[in-house]
Amino acid sequence: MPDESTDNAFPRPLVILAVGLPLLLAAAVGAIGLLSGPADDPGQQQEEITTARRTGPLALPPVPAPGASTPECRAVLDGLPAELTSNSAKLPRRQLAEPAPVATVAWGSPQVDPVVLRCGLGRPSELNQASPLLVVGGATWLEIAEPGVSTWVAVDRPVYVVLTVPKDAGTGPLQEVSATIGRALPPRSPDLIGTPPGQGPPHSIPPTPTR
């Protein structure tokens, strides 16, 4: 299990920025347009802003990810689908702008905002004994909600896998990533008290019974 010291704690604001950054860039494009000349048709201007954040190489900020280069993250990345399903629509992989963060993948289309996955981040500070956890496809997730997006953290595997999705993305991305995690990594008990690395072995979680 990778080092999960305080310095490598889950950087929630930067991960949320993974989806928010294109919005900020688009706003900057709109502001430049306003300063450089007369305003275009509002509908056309909004269309240009939307296109700017949904197409082309996706710029993502680097975040601390102590486990990004581990075999566990490689197993997750190798098992990810080329497309995700969002509200019955297929989202292909998005190209990432260089330098691209390690162990990071994004999906999206001109019709929807990007879905971003990062592997190997530090333990989220929001994870504690009172955290409401959700089991999806056998994987246990912690949701960290922000305006417009939700960040889901898989907390029951040897590394933390973080999926940031727009609020209107539906459940498809989370379900498909859960299936990948279930195939790639063995389960373990979530660290609800922040146990330092090396103090106690992981405990397996029995499979979720099905009827």
Side-chain angles (χ1 to χ4, degrees), residues 85-100:
T85 303
S86 175
N87 297 320
S88 300
K90 295 296 184 180
L91 305 183
R93 290 278 184 98
R94 286 283 303 272
Q95 179 185 357
L96 300 183
E98 296 294 340

Side-chain angles (χ1 to χ4, degrees), residues 104-157:
T104 301
V105 176
W107 298 262
S109 74
Q111 289 73 43
V112 298
D113 289 332
V115 174
V116 178
L117 179 141
R118 294 179 186 262
C119 185
L121 274 65
R123 179 183 180 276
S125 60
E126 292 86 353
L127 181 61
N128 55 58
Q129 293 176 322
S131 298
L133 303 179
L134 178 67
V135 177
V136 178
T140 302
W141 296 88
L142 169 68
E143 181 185 14
I144 303 172
E146 294 285 338
V149 298
S150 283
T151 292
W152 295 88
V153 186
V155 297
D156 66 337
R157 305 290 147 162

Side-chain angles (χ1 to χ4, degrees), residues 1-5 7-11 15 62-77 80 101-105 116-124 141 152-155 157-163 181 185:
M1 182 174 179
D3 186 5
E4 296 170 358
S5 64
D7 291 342
N8 291 321
F10 179 74
V15 175
V63 299
S69 299
T70 60
E72 289 82 4
C73 279
R74 174 46 54 192
V76 171
L77 297 180
L80 290 172
V102 178
T104 301
V105 176
V116 178
L117 179 141
R118 294 179 186 262
C119 185
L121 274 65
R123 179 183 180 276
W141 296 88
W152 295 88
V153 186
V155 297
R157 305 290 147 162
V159 290
Y160 291 104
V161 181
V162 180
L163 185 69
I181 292 174
L185 300 175

